[in-house]
Amino acid sequence: MTTHDPLTLVFGALADPTRRAILSRLAQGPASVGELAAPHAMSLAGVSKHIKVLETAGLISRRKDAQFYYCRLTADPLKDLQGWLDAYRRFWDDNLDQFEAYLADLQKGDPDSKQ
């Protein structure tokens, strides 16, 4: 089943450590496919498949210059991901704040705290 949901595509692209490494490299600036392939023990065709997944997710763009393809990070989908994660961050922050208050009450020996 193929999905076109942007968030699903981004999560799928980020699920692989090679693709995350490629994104980390591109955060430093554009790079050729050969430069992106260099630190990985795989063929150019293998790296190209990873690049295609990142491109489909909208995380990178490619352009051809003479005989080489250059990739550039496109961070907009990461903003959408950040928005999704922020809702869960608020949830965890609220729960951790409540837990912290509960532990503080226990340490004080507060008789009103539930045990």
Side-chain angles (χ1 to χ4, degrees):
M1 179 177 171
T2 303
T3 182
H4 298 289
D5 170 48
L7 195 56
T8 301
L9 292 172
V10 170
F11 272 118
L14 295 175
D16 185 88
T18 300
R19 292 192 286 267
R20 291 192 305 271
I22 290 169
L23 290 177
S24 292
R25 167 54 189 86
L26 291 175
Q28 300 169 20
S32 69
V33 173
E35 291 170 329
L36 294 173
H40 305 285
M42 65 178 65
S43 66
L44 285 176
V47 170
S48 291
K49 289 179 182 181
H50 286 293
I51 288 170
K52 183 65 177 167
V53 171
L54 292 167
E55 191 175 28
T56 300
L59 292 167
I60 66 169
S61 61
R62 267 193 303 183
R63 69 173 174 79
K64 189 171 182 178
D65 186 12
Q67 63 193 32
F68 300 103
Y69 280 97
Y70 289 89
C71 300
R72 174 183 306 273
L73 179 65
T74 308
D76 288 342
L78 295 175
K79 291 178 189 174
D80 297 336
L81 179 63
Q82 183 65 46
W84 186 83
L85 290 171
D86 281 345
Y88 291 95
R89 179 178 293 120
R90 284 189 296 276
F91 169 78
W92 281 109
D93 287 347
D94 290 347
N95 281 307
L96 289 174
D97 288 346
Q98 290 173 12
F99 185 63
E100 184 178 20
Y102 173 73
L103 288 177
D105 287 344
L106 284 178
Q107 289 175 342
K108 287 188 242 174
D110 187 344
D112 292 331
S113 66
K114 297 177 183 174
Q115 295 183 4

